[in-house]
Short mmCIF file of all heavy atoms in Angstrom, two decimals:
data_model
loop_
_atom_site.label_atom_id
_atom_site.label_comp_id
_atom_site.label_asym_id
_atom_site.label_seq_id
_atom_site.Cartn_x
_atom_site.Cartn_y
_atom_site.Cartn_z
N ILE W 19 -29.52 21.59 55.30
CA ILE W 19 -28.98 20.64 54.33
C ILE W 19 -27.49 20.46 54.59
O ILE W 19 -26.73 21.43 54.63
CB ILE W 19 -29.21 21.14 52.89
CG1 ILE W 19 -30.71 21.26 52.61
CG2 ILE W 19 -28.57 20.18 51.88
CD1 ILE W 19 -31.04 21.89 51.28
N ALA W 20 -27.08 19.23 54.79
CA ALA W 20 -25.68 18.95 55.16
C ALA W 20 -25.26 17.59 54.63
O ALA W 20 -26.10 16.69 54.44
CB ALA W 20 -25.52 19.00 56.68
N CYS W 21 -23.96 17.44 54.42
CA CYS W 21 -23.42 16.15 53.97
C CYS W 21 -23.32 15.18 55.16
O CYS W 21 -23.55 15.56 56.31
CB CYS W 21 -22.05 16.36 53.33
SG CYS W 21 -20.74 16.85 54.48
N GLN W 22 -22.95 13.96 54.86
CA GLN W 22 -22.91 12.93 55.89
C GLN W 22 -21.90 13.25 56.99
O GLN W 22 -22.19 13.10 58.18
CB GLN W 22 -22.57 11.58 55.27
CG GLN W 22 -22.62 10.41 56.25
CD GLN W 22 -24.01 10.21 56.83
OE1 GLN W 22 -24.94 9.87 56.13
NE2 GLN W 22 -24.17 10.47 58.12
N LYS W 23 -20.71 13.71 56.61
CA LYS W 23 -19.69 14.01 57.62
C LYS W 23 -20.08 15.19 58.49
O LYS W 23 -19.74 15.26 59.67
CB LYS W 23 -18.33 14.22 56.95
CG LYS W 23 -17.76 12.97 56.30
CD LYS W 23 -16.37 13.22 55.75
CE LYS W 23 -15.79 11.97 55.08
NZ LYS W 23 -16.53 11.58 53.87
N HIS W 24 -20.78 16.16 57.90
CA HIS W 24 -21.32 17.28 58.67
C HIS W 24 -22.31 16.76 59.71
O HIS W 24 -22.28 17.17 60.88
CB HIS W 24 -21.99 18.26 57.70
CG HIS W 24 -22.41 19.54 58.30
ND1 HIS W 24 -22.69 20.66 57.53
CD2 HIS W 24 -22.64 19.93 59.58
CE1 HIS W 24 -23.05 21.65 58.32
NE2 HIS W 24 -23.04 21.23 59.57
N LYS W 25 -23.17 15.86 59.30
CA LYS W 25 -24.15 15.26 60.23
C LYS W 25 -23.43 14.50 61.35
O LYS W 25 -23.83 14.56 62.51
CB LYS W 25 -25.09 14.33 59.48
CG LYS W 25 -26.02 15.06 58.51
CD LYS W 25 -26.88 14.06 57.73
CE LYS W 25 -27.79 14.79 56.74
NZ LYS W 25 -28.59 13.83 55.92
N TRP W 26 -22.38 13.78 60.97
CA TRP W 26 -21.63 13.04 61.99
C TRP W 26 -21.00 13.98 63.00
O TRP W 26 -20.93 13.66 64.20
CB TRP W 26 -20.55 12.19 61.33
CG TRP W 26 -21.08 10.97 60.63
CD1 TRP W 26 -22.28 10.36 60.80
CD2 TRP W 26 -20.39 10.20 59.64
NE1 TRP W 26 -22.40 9.26 59.99
CE2 TRP W 26 -21.25 9.13 59.27
CE3 TRP W 26 -19.14 10.30 59.03
CZ2 TRP W 26 -20.89 8.17 58.32
CZ3 TRP W 26 -18.78 9.36 58.09
CH2 TRP W 26 -19.64 8.30 57.73
N ALA W 27 -20.49 15.15 62.53
CA ALA W 27 -19.89 16.12 63.45
C ALA W 27 -20.94 16.63 64.44
O ALA W 27 -20.65 16.79 65.64
CB ALA W 27 -19.28 17.27 62.66
N CYS W 28 -22.15 16.87 63.97
CA CYS W 28 -23.22 17.31 64.85
C CYS W 28 -23.65 16.19 65.80
O CYS W 28 -23.93 16.44 66.99
CB CYS W 28 -24.41 17.78 64.02
SG CYS W 28 -24.10 19.32 63.11
N GLN W 29 -23.66 14.97 65.29
CA GLN W 29 -23.99 13.82 66.13
C GLN W 29 -22.95 13.66 67.23
O GLN W 29 -23.28 13.36 68.39
CB GLN W 29 -24.06 12.56 65.26
CG GLN W 29 -24.51 11.32 65.99
CD GLN W 29 -24.64 10.12 65.04
OE1 GLN W 29 -24.70 10.27 63.83
NE2 GLN W 29 -24.66 8.93 65.62
N ARG W 30 -21.70 13.88 66.89
CA ARG W 30 -20.61 13.80 67.87
C ARG W 30 -20.80 14.85 68.96
O ARG W 30 -20.63 14.57 70.15
CB ARG W 30 -19.26 13.99 67.16
CG ARG W 30 -18.04 13.86 68.06
CD ARG W 30 -16.79 14.32 67.32
NE ARG W 30 -15.58 14.01 68.07
CZ ARG W 30 -14.39 14.54 67.81
NH1 ARG W 30 -14.26 15.42 66.83
NH2 ARG W 30 -13.34 14.21 68.53
N PHE W 31 -21.17 16.08 68.56
CA PHE W 31 -21.38 17.15 69.52
C PHE W 31 -22.53 16.81 70.48
O PHE W 31 -22.41 16.98 71.70
CB PHE W 31 -21.68 18.47 68.80
CG PHE W 31 -22.09 19.58 69.72
CD1 PHE W 31 -21.15 20.25 70.49
CD2 PHE W 31 -23.42 19.96 69.84
CE1 PHE W 31 -21.52 21.27 71.35
CE2 PHE W 31 -23.81 20.97 70.70
CZ PHE W 31 -22.85 21.63 71.46
N LEU W 32 -23.64 16.33 69.94
CA LEU W 32 -24.79 15.98 70.78
C LEU W 32 -24.45 14.85 71.75
O LEU W 32 -24.88 14.85 72.91
CB LEU W 32 -25.98 15.60 69.91
CG LEU W 32 -26.58 16.74 69.07
CD1 LEU W 32 -27.65 16.20 68.12
CD2 LEU W 32 -27.16 17.83 69.98
N ARG W 33 -23.65 13.90 71.28
CA ARG W 33 -23.20 12.81 72.15
C ARG W 33 -22.33 13.35 73.28
O ARG W 33 -22.44 12.93 74.44
CB ARG W 33 -22.43 11.77 71.34
CG ARG W 33 -21.96 10.55 72.13
CD ARG W 33 -20.95 9.76 71.34
NE ARG W 33 -19.75 10.55 71.08
CZ ARG W 33 -18.77 10.17 70.27
NH1 ARG W 33 -18.85 9.03 69.61
NH2 ARG W 33 -17.71 10.93 70.11
N ASP W 34 -21.45 14.32 72.93
CA ASP W 34 -20.57 14.91 73.95
C ASP W 34 -21.37 15.70 74.99
O ASP W 34 -21.02 15.71 76.18
CB ASP W 34 -19.53 15.82 73.29
CG ASP W 34 -18.52 15.04 72.46
OD1 ASP W 34 -18.48 13.79 72.59
OD2 ASP W 34 -17.79 15.66 71.66
N ILE W 35 -22.43 16.36 74.54
CA ILE W 35 -23.28 17.11 75.48
C ILE W 35 -23.91 16.16 76.49
O ILE W 35 -24.01 16.46 77.69
CB ILE W 35 -24.37 17.90 74.72
CG1 ILE W 35 -23.74 19.07 73.95
CG2 ILE W 35 -25.44 18.40 75.67
CD1 ILE W 35 -23.13 20.15 74.82
N GLU W 36 -24.32 14.99 76.02
CA GLU W 36 -24.98 14.02 76.91
C GLU W 36 -24.04 13.51 77.99
O GLU W 36 -24.47 13.21 79.10
CB GLU W 36 -25.50 12.85 76.08
CG GLU W 36 -26.69 13.20 75.20
CD GLU W 36 -27.17 12.00 74.40
OE1 GLU W 36 -26.51 10.94 74.47
OE2 GLU W 36 -28.19 12.12 73.69
N ARG W 37 -22.74 13.39 77.70
CA ARG W 37 -21.80 12.84 78.68
C ARG W 37 -20.89 13.91 79.27
O ARG W 37 -19.87 13.60 79.89
CB ARG W 37 -20.99 11.71 78.05
CG ARG W 37 -20.22 12.12 76.79
CD ARG W 37 -19.69 10.93 76.01
NE ARG W 37 -18.90 11.36 74.87
CZ ARG W 37 -17.66 10.94 74.61
NH1 ARG W 37 -17.07 10.07 75.42
NH2 ARG W 37 -17.01 11.36 73.55
N GLU W 38 -21.26 15.16 79.09
CA GLU W 38 -20.45 16.29 79.55
C GLU W 38 -20.13 16.19 81.03
O GLU W 38 -20.99 15.94 81.88
CB GLU W 38 -21.22 17.59 79.27
CG GLU W 38 -20.50 18.86 79.71
CD GLU W 38 -21.31 20.11 79.43
OE1 GLU W 38 -22.48 19.98 78.97
OE2 GLU W 38 -20.80 21.21 79.68
N GLY W 39 -18.83 16.34 81.36
CA GLY W 39 -18.38 16.40 82.75
C GLY W 39 -18.34 15.08 83.48
O GLY W 39 -18.12 15.06 84.70
N THR W 40 -18.51 13.98 82.79
CA THR W 40 -18.46 12.67 83.44
C THR W 40 -17.02 12.20 83.55
O THR W 40 -16.11 12.77 82.95
CB THR W 40 -19.27 11.64 82.63
OG1 THR W 40 -18.67 11.45 81.34
CG2 THR W 40 -20.71 12.10 82.46
#
Side-chain angles (χ1 to χ4, degrees):
I19 298 174
C21 69
Q22 185 62 66
K23 293 184 180 66
H24 188 162
K25 293 177 181 177
W26 286 341
C28 291
Q29 185 177 343
R30 183 190 189 195
F31 173 76
L32 293 173
R33 182 193 63 188
D34 292 347
I35 290 294
E36 290 180 355
R37 57 193 184 127
E38 180 181 4
T40 64

